Each structure stands twice: as structure tokens, then as C-alpha cells.
Amino acid sequence: MYDQPRPNPARHAMTFDQMLERVRHEGAYPTRERAAEAVHHILAALGRQLTGDERADLAQSLPVEAALTLTAQIPDTERLTGWDFVKDLAARTGATPAATRWDTGAVLAVVTRLAGPELLARILRRLPGGFALLFGQAELRQPQLWAAAV
């Protein structure tokens, strides 16, 4: 009984095709290919920022194809804020920051559902400020300058 593998903790498991359809709906993309492109770019960029157990647990909660995109990236040594994440991704893809922000919101809305609230909270504690908004959550951190002044 105790040597049995534990089931995947993801409560909202879905296939990659289902994930793409959800992203397509969230982002109002005209084609499935456009949704797949957004998923690839956003998860690759997130894979460059996320480390540790949160990275592994998120990969486990994603469909295999999405998990491979996330984990194929070597984490950057430079930690980006949420806005810097969007600007960096826009520069890498040649898109505008506004379009990149839209893509990020569409993909991370689905990732939020797949991760669940507990894992999402852990992920947001690991990432710098500004990421909560990208995941569609309220930013509940105190600004660093204010925290340092107290």
C-alpha cells in the first residue's frame, strides 16, 4: 500500500489538445496554431524564470508536451519582474509588449487552473513581484522600498 506511486496532484488534468483549446478560447485566437505558438513562447519564458520544486511540480501538473517546453529551458540567473518578463519575451518574439501581455494572460490563465491554488501560491512566492497579475491574481506583496523603510 505504501509503495504505490502517488497520483498526480493536479486536479484539473487535461490533454495538450484540450489545453490548446482553452488557451485559444482565453486568448480569442483565430487558430489552434496561434494558441500553440503562445503556449510555447510563454511556457519557455516561464521555464527560464522558475526553479526548484515549484518548477517540477508545475511540470507534473501540465500536459506532457507543455511540461517539456517548460523544463527544456535552463533557468536564467537574472530574475525578472512580471513587467520585465513581458518586455523580455516581447523582445525575443518580435511582438509588441501589449500583444505579449495578452498572450501571457491567456496562457497563464489556463496554467493557473492546472496548477491549482496551493501550487500557484508557492510559484508566486518564488517569483519576483508583478507575476501575480500575469497569472490573473491580486498582487499581495509589499513593495520592496516600503518594506525596507519600515
Side-chain angles (χ1 to χ4, degrees):
M1 181 161 125
Y2 292 106
D3 60 346
Q4 304 258 336
R6 293 187 316 182
N8 186 341
R11 297 176 197 196
H12 310 288
M14 66 177 68
T15 67
F16 189 63
D17 288 338
Q18 290 170 328
M19 181 183 188
L20 291 181
E21 282 306 313
R22 295 254 175 113
V23 170
R24 183 177 177 194
H25 176 75
E26 287 286 334
Y29 298 119
T31 65
R32 189 167 177 258
E33 291 74 24
R34 178 64 183 95
E37 180 182 321
V39 167
H40 173 73
H41 289 307
I42 304 313
L43 289 180
L46 186 59
R48 290 189 292 273
Q49 291 298 306
L50 194 57
T51 61
D53 290 340
E54 290 76 18
R55 177 184 169 108
D57 292 346
L58 179 58
Q60 186 178 13
S61 70
L62 296 173
V64 173
E65 298 88 337
L68 290 173
T69 298
L70 177 82
T71 59
Q73 305 304 308
I74 297 171
D76 284 342
T77 55
E78 181 183 1
R79 306 287 291 167
L80 301 175
T81 65
W83 178 237
D84 288 335
F85 174 86
V86 170
K87 291 189 302 185
D88 179 67
L89 186 55
R92 289 174 186 262
T93 62
T96 66
T100 302
R101 174 61 182 94
W102 180 269
D103 292 347
T104 302
V107 173
L108 294 184
V110 176
V111 170
T112 295
R113 287 189 212 113
L114 289 167
E118 291 175 19
L119 177 54
L120 181 61
R122 289 177 34 223
I123 289 169
L124 292 176
R125 280 192 299 270
R126 174 148 319 256
L127 293 170
F131 272 90
L133 296 173
L134 298 178
F135 281 93
Q137 307 294 305
E139 182 74 56
L140 300 176
R141 297 180 188 208
Q142 291 180 325
Q144 295 295 349
L145 294 176
W146 183 83
V150 174

